[in-house]
Every structure is written in C-alpha cells, then in structure tokens.
C-alpha cells in the first residue's frame, strides 16, 4: 500500500467537483476572470490535483503568515512554502475582489477556465520579510527573491477553490500523472516501497547508479520524478531532459523504475524547498525521497557565497521526519573507478585508487566545443540527445549588434560583414538594418524613447528567433538607449551568442559624412528628437568591440569582428 497523503486525505479537487463540472464551466464564462501567470498555473495545477495536499486553495492571510513565520498552516499542519495568488490594485478594483466575489482563473496558454476562486481576503505582504524568512536573505541574486520583488504583484488574494478542469498539456501526456493516477499505478504493480528522485537536470550514469543503490538498499522501486514546470533560469529545457529520461530509464533493471513528470514551479528555496518536495512526493504515494547536497540551492549570493549550507536541506527535513512520514535518503556522492569500471560511494573509495569525474562546468564546455564525452560518464544515447539540442558553437546561431549614430558607417560595416560571413559559409546570414526594421515591422512608430525601445524590442525578438534557428544575424540600428540594448542581449542570449559592437564614430565625423543633410535639418530645428542633436546617445557599457571607421577601414573592422567570432568558437570544428 502506498504512503498516505500529507494531512491524511488526498485533496483532488478535479474529482471532487466533477459532478458540477458543467455548472462551473457555464458560470466561469459569466464572471470576472484572472489570467494566470506561468507560475500561478503550475501552482494551481498541483493544488487541484492534490499534489499540494492538504492545500485546497491559494493561502489566505492567516495561513500565509503562519507558513512564512512557522512553516505551518494556521491549523498547525506542517507546510513550508507560501503558495499565493498575487494581484495588483488595478485587478482588485476592476474585478471587485472583495469577500464573496467569485472569479475564474484562466490558463494563459489557451484562456480555458481552470478553477473558480471565491475570495476570502486580499492582503499586502511584507515582501522583505517573506524573502528573509522563506529564502533566507533579501538578495536579488536569488532568482526567487528577484521574482518576488520584480514580478510578483503587490497584493495576495486568498479564498476557496472549485476545479473546473485540469490544464491541458500536449507534450509527454503519457508521463503526466496526477497523484491519484501514480498511486493507482503503484497499486497495480504492487509497489509498496518507492524511492522518489527529483531532478531538474539531465541524468547520467552516476544518477542511475545512485538511484539503483538507494532502491536496492531499501528493497524499493524508483520513481524518476523530474520537474517540468519552472526551474532555475538557464536550465536545460524540459523537452530535451524528458528525452534523456526516456533513454536512461531503459538502462534500469526491468520493472525497477518508472518515469512521471511534475509540473512544479520551483523556488530554489533550499531547506524549505526540500521539505516541500518531500511533502509533494508523499502525496504521490512515495515512501522514500532522495535529498542531495545543496538540494534546490540557487547558487551564490551577491557576495559570492552559497545561499545555503551543503546539508541544510537534509538537516531541516530530518528535523520534521516524524511528521512527514516519508523516509529521507541522503544523496550519496558516487565516484567512477576506471580500473574496475564501476561507480562506488565516495566514502568507499579505496586509498590510492584512481578516480575520474566530469563537473557540470566541464560537461557544458564539452557540449559547447564538441569535445569528447566518455561513455563512463554518460550513455551514448544520452550524449547524442544533448548534442542534438545543444550543438557546439560552430553550429549555433549568433547576433552581431552594431550600434552608433546615424551616418556612422555601421550600415557599411554590416553589409561588408554579411558578404564576408556568406563567403565563410556554414550557416545562413540575415541582415537587419534599422531602416528595414522601421519599414517592415515598426512603420507606425515615431521616435520617442518609448517608441524607440519598442522598435529595438521587436528587432531583438526577430534576431533571437533567427539565432535560435542557427543563423548568423547582423543588426544595425542606432539603438541609443542602454536598457533596450540590454534587453535585446538578454533575449538573444537565451539561444545563442550576442556580440555588441559600438561603432564609435565621433559625432562631428558623422555630420560630415551625412549626405542626406539630416543632421543639418535637425540643427535647424526642422527635425526634433534626433539622436546626437537634441536626443541623447547612451554610450554602451559592455560592448564586445569598440570600432571607429574614422580611424580604421571597414575591411579592418570586419576582420576584427570575424576574429572575435572565431575566437569564441563559431567557425569550424574545435
């Protein structure tokens, strides 16, 4: 028999409210709506499926304060993470969010109603207090603290929920199980002892070895239960990871392991998160849960130190083990011994034995450069999947972003660079000049700061999509504002390389080179809001190259750019 849910009862609201589904669906079309964020949708899916039992809704103020301060709901039940629905003052006013008001909560992907919330209260949280107590520090280097201060709205709303329907998924549907479904699976196979393994990363041989060891030592089966909701920024996408999990699960002994995906929005909250994860796995019927070193840790704080100690998560979960009723399995670090071709726990390595290891940083370097990844570290089929979705830089796209005054010769450089890169071969090259983007995508925009920023945002989006497809992209707008250039960089760097080239032609030289007489008209006041005359140009702070066509030829500048790209590995095999 599988483990009992946290609180004793699985709170499956979808099943509970199925008899009145049609009534709720009809009501949802006639009442005010809130379109959820991605994180809110993840939270709501796990609330209504029972994954967050004993929760039956987003927290009201009393429960919120109790969880933040004491790791307990107001009734005393152990619960470590505040699960909240944030709204703005505008939302409160427009939707009349007052006690008794009913509001539909909608999926942002397709606008379908997922649940109806009956409001109990709205309240303004102390975000600094929440950051310090939940995440241990009010430091924006922590991704959840940054999200709390920069994305979460100023009010929370609590209430009761009725489930209209579960969110619809179109990817890996066979692996998306509710707690009730995975419990039924365990019962069908007579799995009474199950070790849950949480991961947000691809799995390699060491992960397979440690999970098999954990299962054998406890006479249990293994549930590979990766997070496919929101993880740490920069993590490998879940599509790639699930393909890896599908491949590696075939390496387990027959009948030992199963794969089920968890639509969780992680907070990277270390110890509190580990406690939360243990409760979630208990709700899914697991009897054991593996907690590793620095479980759900976000990395370094702004002072360069780890946010949490390496074993803080294990200590906190151990403190509440009697209430959790799920056995924690400490993550055993395993080491490869090449002489015997096996992985063994690090504390069992014989003195003087030769060991091998590849760090996460080294693995990323090998993927980036195309260097060999040995079979002792990862299975060939896993490496092939990772290389398919993360090709070496010589096969990745990039964007060269040229910025400078009008008539600075950045367009000349851009055209010459396009010709040189086409001669180089290996990828398609797209040229996006400022005038082209203005004419094709932004013809309705003027030249206010806001409209200039919108134009660069559009340009950044197009460049990012082309870069993602493996193209080389050359863009050459004026782009006078640092914030817009930085946003374009962030957009492109999600999928490829970004190289900012400041074409630092002196303004006087640009005026001299201006054959159209635009600067002269601006100086006479015939044109207003003209960069360099009555509108500022903010000098780039982080340009990869600074060039000046008044002191070096276009050919020399193009060679410098190509040398930079080559140095970063974008040409040829390394």
């Amino acid at each position: 028999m599988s483990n009992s849910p946290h609180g004793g009862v699985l709170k499956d609201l979808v099943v509970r409210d199925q008899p009145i589904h049609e009534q709720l669906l009809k009501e949802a079309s006639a009442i005010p709506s809130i379109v959820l964020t991605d994180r809110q949708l993840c939270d709501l899916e796990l609330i209504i499926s029972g994954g967050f039992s004993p929760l039956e809704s987003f927290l009201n103020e009393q429960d919120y304060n109790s969880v933040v301060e004491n790791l307990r709901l107001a009734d005393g039940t152990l619960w470590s993470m505040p699960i909240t629905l944030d709204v703005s003052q505008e939302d409160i006013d427009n939707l009349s969010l007052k006690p008794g008001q009913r509001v539909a909560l909608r999926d942002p992907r397709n606008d379908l109603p997922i649940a109806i919330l009956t409001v109990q209260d709205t309240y303004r949280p102390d975000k600094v207090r929440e950051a310090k107590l939940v995440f241990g520090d009010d430091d924006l280097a922590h991704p959840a603290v940054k999200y709390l201060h920069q994305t979460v709205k100023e009010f929370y709303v609590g209430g009761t929920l009725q489930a209209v329907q579960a969110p619809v998924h179109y990817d890996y549907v066979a692996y998306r199980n509710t707690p009730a479904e995975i419990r039924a699976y365990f019962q069908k196979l007579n799995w009474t002892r199950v070790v849950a393994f949480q991961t947000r990363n691809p799995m390699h041989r060491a992960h397979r070895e440690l999970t098999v060891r954990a299962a054998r030592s406890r006479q249990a089966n293994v549930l590979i239960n990766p997070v496919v909701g929101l993880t740490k920024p920069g993590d490998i996408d879940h599509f790639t990871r699930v393909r890896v999990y599908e491949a590696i699960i075939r390496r387990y002994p027959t009948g030992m392991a199963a794969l089920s995906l968890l639509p969780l929005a992680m907070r990277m909250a270390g110890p509190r998160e580990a406690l939360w994860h243990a409760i979630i796995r208990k709700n899914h019927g697991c009897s054991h849960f593996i907690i590793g070193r620095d479980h759900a840790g976000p990395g370094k704080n702004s002072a360069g130190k780890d946010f949490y100690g390496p074993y803080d998560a294990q200590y906190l979960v151990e403190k509440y083990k009697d209430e959790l009723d799920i056995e924690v399995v400490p993550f055993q670090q395993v080491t490869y011994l090449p002489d015997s071709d096996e992985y063994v726990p690090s504390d069992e390595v014989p003195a003087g034995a030769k060991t091998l290891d590849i760090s996460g940083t080294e693995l990323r370097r090998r993927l980036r450069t195309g260097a060999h990844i040995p079979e002792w570290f990862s299975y060939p089929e896993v490496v092939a999947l990772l290389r398919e979705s993360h090709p070496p830089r010589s096969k990745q796209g990039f964007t060269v972003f040229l910025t400078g005054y009008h008539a600075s010769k950045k367009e000349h450089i851009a055209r010459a660079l396009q010709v040189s890169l086409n001669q180089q071969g290996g990828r398609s090259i797209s040229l996006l000049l400022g005038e082209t983007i203005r004419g094709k995508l932004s013809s309705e925009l003027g030249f206010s700061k806001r409209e200039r920023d919108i134009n660069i945002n559009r340009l950044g989006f197009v460049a990012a999509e082309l870069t993602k497809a493996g193209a080389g992209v050359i863009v050459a707008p004026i782009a006078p504002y640092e914030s817009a250039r930085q946003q374009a960089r962030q957009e492109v760097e999600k999928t490829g390389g970004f190289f900012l080239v400041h074409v630092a032609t002196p303004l006087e030289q640009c005026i001299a080179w201006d054959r159209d007489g635009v600067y002269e008209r601006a100086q006479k006041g015939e044109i207003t809001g003209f960069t360099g005359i009555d509108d500022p140009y903010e000098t780039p702070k982080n340009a990869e190259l600074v060039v000046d066509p008044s002191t070096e030829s276009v050919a020399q500048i193009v060679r410098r750019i190509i040398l930079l790209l080559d140095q970063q590995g974008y040409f040829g095999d390394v």
Side-chain angles (χ1 to χ4, degrees):
M1 182 177 180
S2 58
N3 203 354
S4 61
H6 192 54
V9 178
L10 188 67
K11 303 289 188 175
D12 190 329
L13 307 191
V14 177
V15 171
R16 184 197 69 185
D17 297 331
Q18 181 59 37
I20 56 171
H21 167 74
E22 293 299 329
Q23 175 186 331
L24 293 172
L25 189 62
K26 182 177 180 180
E27 181 186 2
S29 67
I31 58 177
S33 296
I34 293 175
V35 177
L36 301 168
T37 65
D38 290 339
R39 186 165 94 168
Q40 291 168 346
L41 180 64
C42 288
D43 288 346
L44 181 59
E45 180 169 5
L46 284 168
I47 291 172
I48 64 175
S49 72
F52 283 175
S53 296
L55 298 194
E56 294 183 87
S57 187
F58 294 98
L59 300 186
N60 59 30
E61 186 172 18
Q62 185 181 16
D63 281 324
Y64 165 79
N65 286 327
S66 184
V67 168
V68 169
E69 293 176 5
N70 306 312
L71 288 83
R72 296 183 182 279
L73 298 171
D75 66 5
T77 304
L78 184 67
W79 187 265
S80 59
M81 194 62 56
I83 307 300
T84 55
L85 179 63
D86 57 296
V87 295
S88 65
Q89 182 65 59
E90 183 180 6
D91 293 329
I92 293 173
D93 295 339
N94 292 343
L95 302 175
S96 299
L97 296 181
K98 54 190 177 182
Q101 174 67 45
R102 286 170 67 78
V103 58
L105 305 181
R106 294 186 175 274
D107 190 324
R109 304 165 303 167
N110 52 27
D111 204 43
L112 291 176
I114 304 302
I116 293 177
L117 174 75
T118 301
V119 176
Q120 288 181 341
D121 58 6
T122 57
Y123 54 100
R124 184 192 296 271
D126 182 339
K127 291 185 178 181
V128 172
R129 168 174 161 269
E130 180 178 334
K132 290 180 177 179
L133 293 178
V134 176
F135 305 112
D137 199 345
D138 188 34
D139 185 340
L140 293 180
H142 193 300
V145 174
K146 182 178 181 180
Y147 186 91
L148 177 66
H149 286 300
Q150 298 184 2
T151 304
V152 172
K153 297 174 184 176
E154 62 266 38
F155 293 94
Y156 295 161
V157 55
T160 58
L161 282 176
Q162 290 175 296
V164 179
Q165 58 196 324
V168 177
H169 294 284
Y170 299 100
D171 60 326
Y172 305 116
V173 176
Y175 300 123
R176 292 182 179 272
N177 300 294
T178 67
E181 289 168 342
I182 200 68
R183 285 169 169 275
Y185 179 82
F186 293 163
Q187 184 176 8
K188 179 179 180 179
L189 297 184
N190 197 31
W191 287 12
T192 58
R193 296 168 64 82
V194 181
V195 177
F197 178 64
Q198 145 131 359
T199 181
R200 43 172 253 271
N201 295 308
M203 292 176 65
H204 302 287
R205 274 195 64 181
H207 301 100
R208 186 262 186 201
E209 295 298 326
L210 74 90
T211 51
V212 168
R213 283 176 175 272
R216 284 177 174 162
S217 67
R218 287 153 178 86
Q219 296 295 299
N221 294 90
V222 177
L223 178 68
I224 307 300
N225 197 206
V227 172
V228 295
L230 301 180
T231 60
K232 185 179 178 182
D235 282 352
I236 289 177
D237 66 277
H238 81 271
F239 299 103
T240 299
R241 290 191 287 112
V242 175
R243 289 195 291 270
V244 166
Y245 306 141
E246 288 178 315
I248 206 167
I249 204 162
R250 291 191 283 270
R251 294 282 186 163
Y252 282 81
T254 302
M256 174 179 277
L259 172 64
S260 185
L261 310 182
L262 186 70
L264 180 71
M266 292 184 67
R267 271 63 164 181
M268 308 307 297
R272 279 196 183 230
E273 181 122 358
L275 191 58
W276 185 40
H277 290 174
I279 292 171
I280 293 168
R281 273 44 184 233
K282 179 183 178 183
N283 287 330
H284 283 75
C286 299
S287 57
H288 298 71
F289 179 52
I290 296 174
I291 296 183
R293 187 179 185 277
D294 193 26
H295 185 97
K300 305 291 186 183
N301 62 20
S302 56
K305 298 180 180 180
D306 290 334
F307 274 97
Y308 311 114
Y311 303 107
D312 287 356
Q314 294 179 7
Y315 296 152
L316 185 66
V317 176
E318 179 68 19
K319 176 181 176 180
Y320 293 103
K321 65 178 182 179
D322 293 338
E323 290 182 75
L324 280 174
D325 197 26
I326 183 171
E327 182 180 332
V328 171
V329 181
F331 184 103
Q332 282 188 300
Q333 192 70 35
V334 293
T335 302
Y336 179 68
L337 304 183
D339 293 338
S340 56
D341 187 26
E342 64 177 337
Y343 279 87
V344 300
S346 298
D347 58 3
E348 297 178 16
V349 175
K354 182 180 179 181
T355 63
L356 293 176
D357 189 25
I358 292 179
S359 67
T361 300
E362 174 62 14
L363 175 61
R364 288 189 291 273
R365 186 195 71 79
R366 294 186 184 213
L367 287 171
R368 183 178 69 247
T369 62
H372 177 63
I373 298 172
E375 192 167 340
W376 63 259
F377 176 79
S378 194
Y379 299 107
E381 59 270 34
V382 169
V383 173
L385 288 166
L386 292 176
R387 291 203 187 280
E388 178 184 328
S389 59
H390 291 77
R393 277 193 176 170
S394 60
K395 300 187 186 317
Q396 291 179 18
F398 60 81
T399 291
V400 176
F401 193 108
L402 299 151
T403 173
Y405 289 119
H406 171 70
S408 63
K409 288 197 175 179
K410 62 184 181 297
E411 293 87 356
H412 298 186
I413 297 168
R415 291 190 177 95
L417 179 61
Q418 181 190 29
V419 171
S420 295
L421 291 177
N422 277 330
Q423 177 181 324
Q424 184 84 24
R427 56 172 63 81
S428 64
I429 305 298
S430 295
L431 177 62
L432 305 176
L433 298 177
E435 64 213 44
T436 305
I437 295 299
R438 278 280 178 179
K440 299 293 186 180
L441 294 181
S442 301
S443 59
E444 85 285 5
L445 296 178
F447 292 88
S448 67
K449 182 180 186 306
R450 174 181 169 277
E451 290 169 308
R452 287 178 185 268
D453 286 349
I454 291 173
N455 182 55
I456 298 304
N457 287 345
R458 292 176 181 175
L459 179 59
F461 172 77
V462 173
E465 289 299 302
L466 290 168
T467 298
K468 182 167 65 175
V473 186
I474 306 163
V475 299
I478 294 175
Y481 300 115
E482 179 71 16
S483 60
R485 294 190 298 256
Q486 188 61 29
Q487 187 167 344
R489 177 188 291 275
Q490 292 171 357
E491 189 75 24
V492 171
E493 285 184 340
K494 294 175 183 177
T495 55
F498 183 93
F499 301 90
L500 184 66
V501 179
H502 179 204
V503 183
T505 311
L507 181 60
E508 298 76 15
Q509 185 62 64
C510 294
I511 293 173
W513 283 342
D514 177 25
R515 296 182 57 194
D516 298 328
V518 182
Y519 280 108
E520 182 180 357
R521 292 174 60 198
Q523 289 170 326
K524 291 178 179 179
E526 296 175 9
I527 301 174
T528 59
F530 195 83
T531 302
I533 303 301
D534 60 347
D535 211 52
Y537 179 86
E538 298 175 356
T539 301
K541 299 176 181 178
N542 59 348
E544 277 71 25
L545 278 182
V546 179
V547 301
D548 183 355
S550 69
T551 61
E552 51 188 328
S553 70
V554 169
Q556 289 173 321
I557 292 170
V558 167
R559 277 197 294 273
R560 288 180 63 191
I561 296 171
I562 289 179
L563 284 173
L564 173 63
L565 293 169
D566 183 60
Q567 181 185 33
Q568 295 299 315
Y570 285 94
F571 300 132
D573 295 324
V574 179

